[in-house]
Amino acid sequence: MTDLSFIRPDCAWDLGATLGEGPCWDADAACLWFTDIKQRRIHRLHPATGARQSWEAPDQPGFALPRAGGGLVVGMPHGLYHFDPGTGSFTRLAGVEEDRSGNRLNDGFCDAQGRLWFGSMDDAEEAATGAFYHWSGGAPARVLDGICITNGPATSPDGRILYHTDTVAQTIHAADIQPDGSLSNRRPFARIEAGAGYPDGLAVDAEGCVWTGLFCGWSIRRYAPDGTLLGSVPFPVANITKLAFGGPDLRTVYATTAAKGLSVQERAEQKLAGGLFTFQSPVPGLPPAKVRA
């Protein structure tokens, strides 16, 4: 097992997010994008200067990922939108689940081909109405269905495996990606034991290991490609929602957290809950890609 327990994450931005999510490193601009779903905000951090900027979204933004043609692709309830940070405007790109009124989009990822992978979920976190999709323009293609809270997703370094999370079932799955984007051979990759938290957003490092934030779990875990637990990074807050590798050498980990669900007493004890955290990883992450559609 790799000892990660000595790592002590620092709070890079104490912004008190209700549900911080979706950190994504933009290598060209050397900045980090992330969202606060429940406060309907999109945030940007320039680590080199410490500059911070925030924008209001018209609805709950599950993710905001850089787009190859400029701007970002933002997932909001029932649609994908182009976001222009210069003007703050949102332009609809594609409809998603307009027949599932209680759903919203939650967590997205761009693979090395520039293809967007994302999930949906029941906003009330009760019904198994969530699904996973990929999008390269046109109508999003549904590849999995019947999940309450979708999270992840991320791909292996060779782009052949999709890792995706069924949070309520405390299970990370793996599936083989076919040339047309469909999935086959879906199987459990890692199960989180009872009482240890719920797997949330994922990232894969250059060695093919899978890192996951644990909601209610006070840590980030690292798993080997065969699903063996390698180690964990302890956090001073309970709800870690997702991580991303960034910085010039892709060894700086940025992790979003959430104050959602904490009692008044827990909030007082976890003063940095909802903050953006950072630490140095012993291995680099994979180069981030931009959505090409």
Side-chain angles (χ1 to χ4, degrees), residues 65-69 73 109-110 114-116 135-136 289-293:
L65 300 174
R67 197 177 185 194
V73 176
F109 166 79
C110 179
R115 178 171 49 190
L116 172 65
W135 181 72
S136 301
K290 294 187 176 183
V291 181
R292 293 182 183 174

Side-chain angles (χ1 to χ4, degrees), residues 21 27 41 47 56 67 82 96 102 116 132 141 162 175-176 191 207 219 244 288:
E21 255 292 3
R41 306 282 284 179
E56 292 185 9
R67 197 177 185 194
H82 172 80
V96 184
L116 172 65
F132 279 103
L162 180 77
D176 299 329
R191 298 185 190 277
E207 296 180 353
S219 65

Side-chain angles (χ1 to χ4, degrees), residues 151-226:
N151 264 301
T155 57
S156 58
D158 62 9
R160 298 174 63 181
I161 299 173
L162 180 77
Y163 297 103
H164 55 282
T165 299
D166 183 337
T167 295
V168 174
Q170 294 179 282
T171 303
I172 300 169
H173 292 272
D176 299 329
I177 303 173
Q178 301 305 305
D180 63 356
S182 62
L183 302 178
S184 65
N185 189 28
R186 182 174 182 248
R187 65 270 186 194
F189 170 75
R191 298 185 190 277
I192 309 302
E193 63 273 20
Y198 297 84
D200 210 306
L202 304 175
V204 177
D205 66 29
E207 296 180 353
C209 295
V210 177
W211 300 62
T212 182
L214 293 180
F215 203 95
C216 299
W218 297 86
S219 65
I220 284 175
R221 287 186 174 184
R222 183 181 187 234
Y223 288 88
D226 66 359

